Amino acid sequence: MRFNPRLLASARHIVVFTGAGVSAESGIATFRDKLTGLWERFDPAELASAEGFRRDPALIWGWYEMRRAGIAQAQPNPAHLAIAELAQRVPKLTLVTQNVDDLHERAGSADVLHLHGQLDAARCFDCARPAGAVLELPEGAGDGKRIEPPLCSACGGPLRPGVVWFGENLPEQALSQAFLAAADCDLLLSIGTSGVVQPAAMIPGVALEAGARVVHINPQVTGAGHAREFALAGKAGELLPQLLREAFG
Ligand code: BV8
Ligand code: ZN
């Protein structure tokens, strides 16, 4: 059955749950996309891990600085903008993202729940002291090279990106707020995620269990097995503005 966009306008509380696909049209590679250059022969899960960092800090820090440079050059796309606009039009919207970029914030979204941390929040790998201000991108960060991580001013340990690596726990507060919102909402939009990484991937199921409708927005149609589950096949940057036009005129 087709999803009726008017349900966006009548919702009491919408949860928007985003993955790498929402930033794809800003030119940011998703995790599904093949890695290139120095990182070609690695699996992201190896690079996005404390073991990977211990083994070769400069390789991992270089990978993140290259990604940070790409994000700095990118712009929020119509999907990010539509999500920020939707929040202005409904009584309550909770934005939960798996992404570590700041494109939602740059599109105007506030109080974004980052389940996997944020790239800009570097901290010491050893003593966890935050790096304080967002670090200047070093010369050539975008060139895809190994870059020695800066050292912690307190203990001399190497800085690490402020993201959640595989095998690391998610931020307690953000995760519980995300689960609470999913259990309370009457509509959850799951946008641009392959739904592979746990425990974030549980969020749409929590909403479904609690009686909400769940709409998946993804070029790859994902399973919409449940009566209250819908799949809209297409790009978020095209479908979301269209949904808002149909819902709010
Ligand atoms: C944890 C930050 C407890 C870093 C990320 C075995 C051993 C150890 C752990 C595990 C294990 N088995 C399972 C686990 C748990 C593990 C996990 O889930 N592994 C997976 C691989 C099976 N999870 C963890 O380790 C988590 N921690 O469980 O702690 C614990 C403690 C100790 C030991 C064990 C467990 C931590 C997970 C967080 C990892 N960090 N990111 C960084 O960014 O570098 S996850 C990272 O990958 C992203 O943040 C993102 O969340 C995820 C990729 O998912 P997506 O966002 O969905 O992106 P993806 O590329 O997959 O899909 C993009 C989608 O968009 C596609 O469907 C595509 O079709 C679509 N798309 C493309 N274009 C568009 C589009 N959609 C719309 N519009 C478009 N234009
Ligand atoms: Zn330190």
Side-chain angles (χ1 to χ4, degrees):
M1 184 177 47
R2 186 158 152 57
F3 173 69
N4 173 1
R6 298 219 42 82
L7 289 166
L8 255 68
S10 59
R12 174 186 50 81
H13 178 190
I14 297 180
V15 167
V16 174
F17 174 62
T18 62
V22 82
S23 297
E25 290 156 89
S26 296
I28 308 291
T30 70
F31 271 73
R32 283 331 72 198
D33 296 340
K34 193 134 166 43
L35 287 174
T36 56
L38 274 181
W39 300 278
E40 195 174 3
R41 61 188 191 285
F42 294 102
D43 171 81
E46 275 177 275
L47 295 171
S49 73
E51 301 76 71
F53 185 81
R54 267 194 213 91
R55 197 175 318 116
D56 189 344
L59 180 81
I60 304 305
W61 184 260
W63 183 51
Y64 281 96
E65 288 299 80
M66 180 185 70
R67 289 172 58 190
R68 203 156 71 93
I71 290 161
Q73 262 122 37
Q75 291 303 326
N77 70 61
H80 296 109
L81 296 168
I83 291 165
E85 190 194 333
L86 181 58
Q88 307 300 320
R89 292 173 169 276
V90 296
K92 186 171 182 190
L93 185 144
T94 305
L95 177 49
V96 181
T97 189
Q98 302 172 86
N99 299 341
V100 295
D101 64 51
D102 61 349
L103 293 173
H104 280 306
E105 286 84 354
R106 284 163 54 193
S109 291
D111 309 322
V112 183
L113 294 176
H114 282 271
L115 297 185
H116 294 155
Q118 291 177 264
L119 206 38
D120 278 347
R123 66 171 186 269
C124 176
F125 185 76
D126 293 340
C127 78
R129 182 189 161 102
V134 175
L135 302 171
E136 277 293 301
L137 277 161
E139 261 308 292
D143 301 350
K145 289 200 184 70
R146 295 157 58 88
I147 302 177
E148 286 301 330
L151 300 181
C152 167
S153 52
C155 77
L159 295 191
R160 58 162 286 174
V163 301
V164 178
W165 278 332
F166 287 97
E168 293 184 331
N169 289 318
L170 277 60
E172 199 79 5
Q173 172 106 40
L175 187 60
S176 57
Q177 278 182 277
F179 277 126
L180 283 173
D184 174 68
C185 73
D186 38 356
L187 175 62
L188 183 141
L189 306 180
S190 176
I191 305 169
T193 181
S194 59
V196 165
V197 174
Q198 297 299 345
M202 294 163 66
I203 300 271
V206 168
L208 208 53
E209 286 287 297
R213 286 184 176 87
V214 170
V215 185
H216 300 278
I217 295 176
N218 192 319
Q220 316 226 320
V221 177
T222 35
H226 192 286
R228 279 184 275 105
E229 207 174 4
F230 305 83
L232 302 182
K235 292 182 172 185
E238 292 163 11
L239 287 182
L240 280 169
Q242 193 186 321
L243 273 179
L244 263 72
R245 278 194 300 275
E246 290 168 357
F248 302 101

